[in-house]
Amino acid sequence: MDEASLRTLFTKHYGSPAPSEDLWRSHYAEDVHFQDPTQERQGLQAYIEAQEGLVKRCDDVMLKPAAIAIDGTTAFIEWEMGLKIRGITFTYPGTTRLLLNDAGQIVDHRDYFDFVGPTFAPVPVVGGFVRWLYKRFVD
């Protein structure tokens, strides 16, 4: 696994097709563990279903990589994800930590991003409460 491969894997423009199952299978180990702020999955088929589910729930999805660092069997990718849902675009900046096996396949994929703020802050009433919580406990 190298920087160019990771950049390709973590790039999807609005309007372009989602990565194919074959692409996922070429980069991820059968026993991959996946976790993000909303879910945790074990195994390649469960990972693929999670990715396909995201694409189906959205009108469109964008993923744009920024900085990439690889040190031995660990890689970090800084990215921005955009989700278009019912005419609203939600933008999530985040980072992924990947652990690779000796064959260079991903065995652990962990996404780090703020799900609550970008999702609920724009929503009337709920957004005000979310912003209040952030000011109270984060700022």
Side-chain angles (χ1 to χ4, degrees):
M1 185 72 66
D2 60 10
E3 183 177 337
S5 297
L6 289 175
R7 194 164 296 281
T8 298
L9 190 62
F10 279 78
T11 299
K12 183 199 175 297
H13 303 286
Y14 283 128
S16 68
S20 68
E21 184 172 329
D22 288 341
L23 181 64
W24 296 125
R25 290 189 179 282
S26 70
H27 287 77
Y28 284 78
E30 279 296 324
D31 62 345
V32 65
H33 173 258
F34 169 71
Q35 186 173 358
D36 74 12
T38 66
Q39 61 188 320
E40 185 169 5
R41 304 287 178 103
Q42 185 66 45
L44 182 55
Q45 191 58 43
Y47 174 78
I48 291 169
E49 289 170 4
Q51 301 311 310
E52 289 175 347
L54 174 67
V55 171
K56 287 178 185 173
R57 287 190 303 275
C58 299
D59 299 325
D60 206 350
V61 176
M62 176 274 297
L63 188 61
K64 180 172 63 173
I68 295 176
I70 303 170
D71 184 15
T73 59
T74 304
F76 288 92
I77 301 97
E78 181 183 28
W79 45 259
E80 180 179 271
M81 178 174 60
L83 307 178
K84 291 185 179 183
I85 304 169
R86 297 183 182 193
I88 301 171
T89 300
F90 299 91
T91 303
Y92 303 88
T95 301
T96 295
R97 190 262 301 135
L98 303 172
L99 301 179
L100 310 172
N101 63 18
D102 290 338
Q105 290 185 305
I106 299 163
V107 293
D108 195 82
H109 176 148
R110 177 80 187 258
D111 288 340
Y112 298 92
F113 63 96
D114 177 8
F115 174 75
V116 174
T119 303
F120 297 108
V123 177
V125 181
V126 174
F129 179 68
V130 168
R131 287 186 295 277
W132 175 82
L133 280 174
Y134 274 49
K135 285 183 193 238
R136 176 106 163 97
F137 296 103
V138 180
D139 282 351

